[in-house]
Amino acid sequence: RFVEEKGMAPFEAARAATADIGLAVTATTFSLVVIFIPVSFMSSISGRFLYQFGITAAVAVLVSLLVSFTLTPMMSARLLGVAAAGSHGSGGAPRSRGGFYRWIDGGYARALGYAMRHRVAVAILSLGVILSAIPLYGVIRQDYLPANADEGEFIVTAVAPQGTSLASMDEILDAVSADIRAVPGVRLVLATAGGGFIGAVNEGRAYVRLAPHGERVFSVSRLVRSLVRGDPMAAFRGNRSQKEIMQEVRGKLRRYRDLRVAVRNIPGFNIGGGGFDVDFVIRGPELAALSGYAERLRDRQEPLGLMDADTTLKLDKPELRVQIDRARAADLRVDPERVGTAVRLMVGGDEEVSRFTDPAVNEDYKVQLRLREEDRADPEAIGRLYVPREGGGLVQVGSVARIERVPSASRIDRLDRQREVRLRASIAPGYALADRLAALRAEVSGMNLPAGYTTRVSGKGRELERTFGEFVWAFALSIVFMYMILASQFENLVHPFTILLSLPISVPFALLSIGATGATLNLYSALGVLVLFGVVKKNAILQIDHMNSLRAGGMERAEAILQGNRDRLRPILMTTLTFVAGMLPLAVGSGPGAEERRVIAVVVIGGQTLSLLLTLLATPVVYSLLDDMGLAVLGRRPARAERRAEPRST
């Protein structure tokens, strides 16, 4: 611009232009650094993953500052020498302002002139856009991570009733594996019977690997291969996403009535909850009550927007319970402790009641005592055991105790010295984690739990609440740090406020982009909002810095606003379109896990492009309004030139 409009030599233009843009570049760089630094020090599990992101982005931006002050002006001075000649078109207008850009420049000049003549209306419109973020935030679904990412693999877990043998579980999993292999798109199934280290024999799981992503889902590469083969429609046939395959697997496995089956993605990193989306905890003293509350929630999983629900507390383990009649035992002079000893010895067994020495090999062996398996499971056989009574004589256990079969818990979980049960489930299509947790809380509230029973959220839900809470603090600290840096750079307390006003203006457009694409507000989209803030405020810095420079050179405020924003329109469009173009591959990319990364590009592209025009108009309007307020405070007469502002001839 200096070469074409001021007729300067490329070498001198490089020096002068670098000095002219130096404040804006420095302010943009350091205010961008303080956006990423607070994210690096989040204390949650998510903060550990974002640490590398924040540090890397901050260092890269600082290096770019060095490049912009050294390599870029040097290359401009050496490589733009040809531009000095013939840089003006017909009529003496700069060649860079001709062609298609002349229409953009003229349209923006007219829009800016209209906005300056109706500053109050533009300010009210901007305020309305900012406030629209509140209802939009309530509508957008919130999740910890993007759900149902297509990574080409998932797992199936199955829990059979208590008492199922390992051999029976192996047969069940063979049948389950056969049903899964029959689903189109499945390439491999690896099933394992038994629960592993802390599981039970009535549990099993199957790892399912799908066909490569390029063979199942439409992509550009698949279309190219189809065109090479001469069958372009092949790219659109047989498309099956992982989500569709998982739904079909669920439908096939519903025929196993006694199995509790769960089909879910393999978690990218373990944050608790057994890999399930929902991990809802109920604590209390009574196991029967805890199991009842959890089963009531499980029975209502469809109205609650859940699927594959299961509980960690199951009262289905068969148990023989000996209830001693203490009054009768006292009448018969039988010590209850002896009843317990007899049952423990005959049912539980004693590892060593004596020792046997084999003289042939000179080895000692422990003699163990225990009832046969068929007698240990027979209440009548246990009731016929004899126990001694005081004063001599024997009494059968059945004479002083009642032996009955009762269901019992296969395991009891405790935390903070309280018994608990966990409802674990996946999110049904069309819902998200945050609203399902709210639905669960509302459902439990309607149960009117008695005193001593409490609920809490664990796993992904707890990390979601912690992460979003820390992001709020990170955003708040970033804004405070940005204000401090911009105030020190501009040596003004008002201009940073004008610059930061562009941040809330872009938020509704980012939320609108998330809702329009069916995405959720999650960890990745929050990162996209951070990047969006860095891009959006850069535009306002460029505008205000140049308007201040023109006014410092003696230009009237109205003319400085029109001329300064027109001069900065080109670099703003260049950086914006370049950034959007760089995000497009991320937005349209395919492959395993592309759904998780795509939301970052959606937020940046949608938020930046949709809010661009409004920020280009709102920034100079707010700049002039705050300047009028400052003049009014100082007792000076505000400028009236904005009402007469007209676009200059293009």
Side-chain angles (χ1 to χ4, degrees):
R1 187 173 66 84
F2 276 35
V3 169
E4 294 185 355
E5 297 184 8
K6 298 186 178 182
M8 300 176 66
F11 188 84
E12 295 298 327
R15 289 199 306 178
T18 302
D20 181 69
I21 206 70
L23 176 62
V25 172
T26 304
T28 300
T29 301
F30 285 108
S31 59
L32 191 58
V33 168
V34 298
I35 288 181
F36 297 116
I37 290 298
V39 179
S40 304
F41 295 97
M42 292 168 57
S43 61
S44 62
I45 296 177
S46 304
R48 297 303 87 205
F49 287 90
L50 298 179
Y51 175 78
Q52 295 89 344
F53 169 80
I55 297 298
T56 303
V59 172
V61 170
L62 289 175
V63 172
S64 72
L65 176 65
L66 176 65
V67 173
S68 65
F69 282 158
T70 55
L71 184 63
T72 302
M74 182 274 292
M75 295 181 65
S76 299
R78 301 299 181 184
L79 301 180
L80 298 183
V82 180
S87 60
H88 288 70
S90 58
R95 188 177 60 184
S96 61
R97 292 185 182 271
F100 178 70
Y101 181 75
R102 181 170 67 90
W103 299 98
I104 298 177
D105 185 27
Y108 175 63
R110 289 189 293 271
L112 181 58
Y114 182 84
M116 295 303 296
R117 293 193 300 272
H118 302 84
R119 294 184 298 168
V120 176
V122 174
I124 294 176
L125 175 63
S126 302
L127 181 61
V129 169
I130 294 173
L131 295 178
S132 67
I134 299 175
L136 282 174
Y137 180 79
V139 172
I140 299 299
R141 296 175 297 158
Q142 300 176 28
D143 213 337
Y144 179 61
L145 293 174
N148 297 318
D150 194 331
E151 297 179 344
E153 56 183 6
F154 59 91
I155 57 175
V156 178
T157 58
V159 180
Q162 283 289 338
T164 304
S165 65
L166 185 61
S168 299
M169 197 67 202
D170 189 47
E171 294 179 0
I172 293 172
L173 284 181
D174 285 342
V176 168
S177 300
D179 289 339
I180 297 175
R181 290 191 186 96
V183 176
V186 174
R187 287 290 177 86
L188 176 125
V189 180
L190 176 62
T192 306
F197 177 63
I198 61 174
V201 296
N202 65 317
E203 299 176 2
R205 58 187 289 144
Y207 166 78
V208 183
R209 179 179 293 173
L210 307 181
H213 191 276
E215 298 180 14
R216 295 182 291 104
V217 182
F218 173 80
S219 62
V220 177
S221 59
R222 186 179 180 185
L223 178 60
V224 171
R225 291 195 301 269
S226 301
L227 293 174
V228 171
R229 292 195 300 265
D231 185 12
M233 298 306 297
F236 302 93
R237 291 195 297 266
N239 288 329
R240 291 176 61 81
S241 66
Q242 178 174 320
K243 180 180 177 181
E244 295 171 340
I245 294 176
M246 292 172 67
Q247 285 293 97
E248 186 171 347
V249 169
R250 286 190 183 96
K252 281 183 171 291
L253 299 185
R254 286 196 183 101
R255 69 187 184 92
Y256 298 94
R257 300 290 183 181
D258 296 333
L259 286 183
R260 295 194 178 192
V261 179
V263 183
R264 65 184 188 274
N265 284 7
I266 299 177
F269 49 91
N270 187 12
I271 56 175
F276 284 91
D277 297 327
V278 174
D279 188 19
F280 193 75
V281 185
I282 305 177
R283 293 179 180 173
E286 296 294 334
L287 290 178
L290 288 175
S291 177
Y293 295 139
E295 290 299 328
R296 284 174 60 183
L297 292 177
R298 180 178 177 271
D299 293 339
R300 289 186 50 79
Q301 59 177 310
E302 291 187 7
L304 291 173
L306 305 176
M307 58 185 182
D308 301 337
D310 198 2
T311 62
T312 58
L313 177 61
K314 301 178 180 66
L315 303 179
D316 59 352
K317 185 175 184 179
E319 177 181 273
L320 291 179
R321 184 169 297 173
V322 179
Q323 299 284 355
I324 299 177
D325 187 341
R326 294 185 177 271
R328 184 169 179 78
D331 293 339
L332 296 175
R333 292 184 294 173
V334 175
D335 189 352
E337 182 180 357
R338 295 188 176 184
V339 177
T341 301
V343 173
R344 178 188 60 80
L345 182 64
M346 294 301 173
V347 178
D350 195 325
E351 291 186 357
E352 184 179 359
V353 296
S354 180
R355 299 188 69 86
F356 168 73
T357 302
D358 187 352
V361 294
N362 196 25
E363 290 285 346
D364 285 347
Y365 299 94
K366 296 179 180 179
V367 177
Q368 298 179 354
L369 181 64
R370 194 181 189 189
L371 289 176
R372 296 176 302 177
E373 183 177 356
E374 57 269 23
D375 293 331
R376 294 197 303 267
D378 185 3
E380 294 183 1
I382 297 175
R384 290 194 297 268
L385 294 174
Y386 286 95
V387 293
R389 55 184 294 191
E390 295 180 7
L394 298 174
V395 176
Q396 288 187 342
V397 171
S399 299
V400 295
R402 184 178 69 257
I403 304 172
E404 55 185 359
R405 295 181 183 271
V406 294
S408 178
S410 57
R411 80 180 212 189
I412 301 175
D413 296 330
R414 294 178 178 88
L415 188 64
D416 296 336
R417 296 184 295 179
Q418 286 184 299
R419 293 174 173 178
E420 68 174 24
V421 57
R422 294 172 180 252
L423 176 75
R424 291 172 171 172
S426 300
I427 304 296
Y431 299 98
L433 179 57
D435 54 74
R436 292 309 90 201
L437 293 178
L440 277 171
R441 288 191 174 106
E443 184 71 19
V444 172
S445 177
M447 291 183 180
N448 297 320
L449 300 183
Y453 291 85
T454 59
T455 63
R456 67 187 294 268
V457 175
S458 187
K460 289 184 179 180
R462 180 181 61 182
E463 195 60 27
L464 167 70
E465 295 172 350
R466 289 184 59 192
T467 299
F468 273 62
E470 290 187 346
F471 259 117
V472 171
W473 281 106
F475 286 153
L477 287 176
S478 299
I479 292 174
V480 171
F481 292 154
M482 281 190 290
Y483 183 88
M484 295 169 62
I485 288 177
L486 294 173
S488 63
Q489 291 288 317
F490 284 94
E491 297 182 355
N492 188 285
L493 298 177
V494 178
H495 294 329
F497 177 79
T498 308
I499 294 172
L500 295 178
L501 187 65
S502 59
L503 303 184
I505 289 180
S506 63
V507 171
F509 296 101
L511 296 176
L512 190 62
S513 302
I514 294 174
T517 55
T520 59
L521 187 60
N522 50 62
L523 178 63
Y524 292 100
S525 53
L527 284 179
V529 173
L530 275 177
V531 178
L532 176 64
F533 280 0
V535 178
V536 169
K537 67 170 178 44
K538 172 264 306 175
N539 300 342
I541 292 175
L542 289 173
Q543 292 171 279
I544 292 178
D545 174 60
H546 195 44
M547 286 187 288
N548 287 341
S549 298
L550 294 178
R551 293 182 66 185
M555 188 177 294
E556 291 291 333
R557 189 183 75 179
E559 187 178 359
I561 289 176
L562 292 173
Q563 184 62 37
N565 284 278
R566 288 184 60 197
D567 289 343
R568 288 293 183 252
L569 178 62
R570 177 183 293 275
I572 288 175
L573 292 178
M574 289 169 59
T575 53
T576 300
L577 294 178
T578 302
F579 204 84
V580 169
M583 284 288 178
L584 282 177
L586 197 63
V588 301
S590 59
E595 296 83 1
E596 294 183 345
R597 305 182 294 269
R598 184 174 298 138
V599 68
I600 300 179
V602 167
V603 170
V604 175
I605 294 176
Q608 174 64 11
T609 53
L610 295 177
S611 65
L612 179 60
L613 178 60
L614 183 58
T615 53
L616 286 175
L617 298 178
T619 299
V621 167
V622 175
Y623 175 85
S624 64
L625 289 175
L626 292 180
D627 191 59
D628 285 347
M629 294 173 60
L631 293 176
V633 171
L634 296 176
R636 301 177 184 176
R637 188 177 182 183
R640 294 176 299 174
E642 283 78 5
R643 294 188 176 277
R644 303 189 305 271
E646 296 290 343
R648 295 172 59 187
S649 174
T650 60

